[in-house]
Amino acid sequence: MARKIMIAGNWKMNGLLEDGVALAKGVAAEVKKMGKPECEFLVCPPFTLLTSVKKALRGAKVALGAQDCHFAEKGAHTGDISPVMLKDLGCQYVITGHSERRADHGESNELICKKSQAAYNAGLKVIICIGETLAERDAGKTIEVCTKQIMGSVPETATAANTVIAYEPVWAIGTGKTPTAQDVEEVHAAVRKVLAKKLGKGNANKMRILYGGSVKPANAKEFLALPDVDGALIGGASLKVEDFIAIAKNAGF
Ligand code: PEP
């Protein structure tokens, strides 16, 4: 089953106007040099940079995404941003359920499911993040936790066309630590089985499952060569043009 590899950058709460635009322009220039890249590139800057990054990416095959959204279309939700607003700005994707939002904002699977459904309704594709903490891993509960997160946070209406799953072990995010390739493949294969149960085999076989957690140019090839790994969600290394692009190139794209 051919699934197009996705190389996605999550800039998190990083970037002021000048350096954010420079980063986007740098990525755009490198991707343009590739001609027709075999993989799909995506950058997810903070809300404040979406409009300027969109301009900086003009003419390059790099999609634009946001890092979160509210579940309502509009209304009395001070400080929040709706999926309709993101679509209006030119976003194609939104990340939901990142572990930093689950931890910092107490986001539940139920809330993530509502946000994801609202994003579909607005015409956005969604990258839904799952992953276990170190304590859960040490207790042998990785698959159990990921299963619960998928069952609770992935809407029934999810399809391979509107959804990408990102498996990100919490303990590997920003730490330089990673699971072994064998561990990653084991979890991704299990995630695909759960997706098959929930959404049917057709969707599960076509749905992309990204690995995230300290992906760097040096380890990209190993992870991206795994049969059930369909790309990477990259935090720290997406903030440097050379590293972000080298992740794709080292993996053969
Ligand atoms: C992330 O924030 O989604 C992430 C994977 O971060 P890092 O690559 O820095 O571990």
Side-chain angles (χ1 to χ4, degrees):
M1 177 61 59
R3 295 179 292 261
K4 192 168 195 177
I5 293 284
M6 170 177 264
I7 304 293
N10 171 17
W11 294 7
K12 311 195 189 197
M13 198 171 70
N14 292 297
L16 300 183
L17 194 52
E18 199 176 324
D19 44 296
V21 167
L23 175 55
K25 280 188 175 165
V27 169
E30 288 301 319
V31 173
K32 277 182 191 169
K33 277 191 223 161
M34 291 178 176
K36 276 191 188 158
E38 274 175 57
C39 58
E40 180 179 7
F41 285 98
L42 166 70
V43 292
C44 301
F47 292 131
T48 49
L49 291 178
L50 285 169
T51 300
S52 344
V53 166
K54 182 178 160 53
K55 273 188 209 148
L57 294 175
R58 196 172 288 153
K61 290 194 184 314
V62 182
L64 182 68
Q67 299 170 18
D68 181 47
C69 65
H70 198 273
F71 58 80
E73 262 185 47
K74 61 179 180 177
H77 300 286
T78 304
D80 279 312
I81 307 283
S82 85
V84 178
M85 290 168 171
L86 298 177
K87 181 72 180 172
D88 189 45
L89 284 186
C91 288
Q92 291 112 302
Y93 283 92
V94 63
I95 298 171
T96 59
H98 191 283
S99 62
E100 286 154 14
R101 295 219 49 99
R102 290 179 188 261
D104 295 356
H105 300 273
E107 292 198 2
S108 64
N109 289 327
E110 192 188 10
L111 177 65
I112 293 157
C113 189
K114 276 175 85 175
K115 288 182 177 204
S116 303
Q117 183 58 57
Y120 301 152
N121 295 348
L124 294 169
K125 297 177 192 175
V126 185
I127 300 179
I128 303 175
C129 301
I130 58 166
E132 82 287 359
T133 62
L134 189 56
E136 289 163 341
R137 185 176 194 86
D138 288 345
K141 292 189 170 163
T142 298
I143 307 281
E144 186 186 321
V145 168
C146 291
T147 301
K148 204 169 165 200
Q149 289 174 335
I150 291 168
M151 294 316 276
S153 55
V154 176
E156 299 291 336
T157 53
T159 66
N162 65 18
T163 303
V164 175
I165 304 294
Y167 167 57
E168 301 202 307
V170 178
W171 52 273
I173 295 179
T175 58
K177 293 181 191 149
T178 58
T180 64
Q182 196 186 336
D183 286 345
V184 171
E185 177 55 24
E186 201 178 304
V187 177
H188 279 229
V191 165
R192 206 175 293 287
K193 270 195 192 152
V194 178
L195 289 171
K197 229 187 239 169
K198 186 175 171 104
L199 306 170
K201 258 191 170 176
N203 274 317
N205 286 340
K206 285 189 225 144
M207 192 171 284
R208 290 178 291 186
I209 307 173
L210 313 183
Y211 167 72
S214 296
V215 175
K216 308 272 181 254
N219 59 23
K221 191 175 176 187
E222 192 184 13
F223 290 127
L224 289 169
L226 296 168
D228 281 296
V229 173
D230 309 308
L233 181 55
I234 305 147
S238 72
L239 298 173
K240 277 194 185 155
V241 177
E242 316 78 74
D243 287 354
F244 186 58
I245 296 298
I247 286 170
K249 286 193 173 162
N250 290 3
F253 297 100

